[in-house]
Amino acid sequence: MQLKLPRKIKIRNRTYVVRRDAKVPLSALADIDVRARLIRISTKKLANSEVAGAFWHEVTHAILHDMRSPKWASEKFVTAFSDRLTNVFMGLRA
């Protein structure tokens, strides 16, 4: 069964639309457009852990962007943080 993603998330006063999208670049599982407030998760067949990881990765970007943190664009930092966040949430679902 595929992990159910929220349709929207709110980060402080900004609402982001979350959707599965075939237009995500082939080299990525997801992407974010902070100006359009859009998080896209690939429509490729993904394991629940991959969907969750991609979602929390992009949410981490959005939160750090909202905080005006220079780390918001750091893939190394975002990946390290979001991997841990995903593990927390996937552990709760077990």
Side-chain angles (χ1 to χ4, degrees):
M1 180 170 40
Q2 190 68 358
L3 185 68
K4 185 172 167 97
L5 294 170
R7 291 182 185 177
K8 294 180 181 182
I9 60 167
K10 191 161 188 169
I11 297 173
R12 208 164 50 144
N13 62 345
R14 292 182 175 92
T15 300
Y16 284 78
V17 171
V18 179
R19 71 175 186 225
R20 298 295 299 255
D21 195 320
K23 295 180 183 174
V24 173
L26 291 175
S27 62
L29 298 180
D31 64 12
I32 186 169
D33 183 335
V34 292
R35 289 190 178 151
R37 298 184 186 147
L38 174 64
I39 293 173
R40 300 183 311 163
I41 309 294
S42 174
T43 56
K44 291 186 262 187
K45 186 171 173 101
L46 302 171
N48 282 338
S49 60
E50 291 175 305
V51 173
F55 172 74
W56 289 113
H57 181 95
E58 302 310 333
V59 169
T60 300
H61 276 299
I63 291 169
L64 292 171
H65 184 265
D66 179 70
M67 293 171 62
R68 297 185 178 159
S69 170
K71 298 265 188 197
W72 89 270
S74 167
E75 285 301 318
K76 183 177 180 181
F77 177 84
V78 169
T79 297
F81 185 91
S82 65
D83 284 352
R84 287 161 176 83
L85 189 59
T86 301
N87 288 338
V88 167
F89 279 91
M90 292 303 288
L92 292 176
R93 294 181 53 84

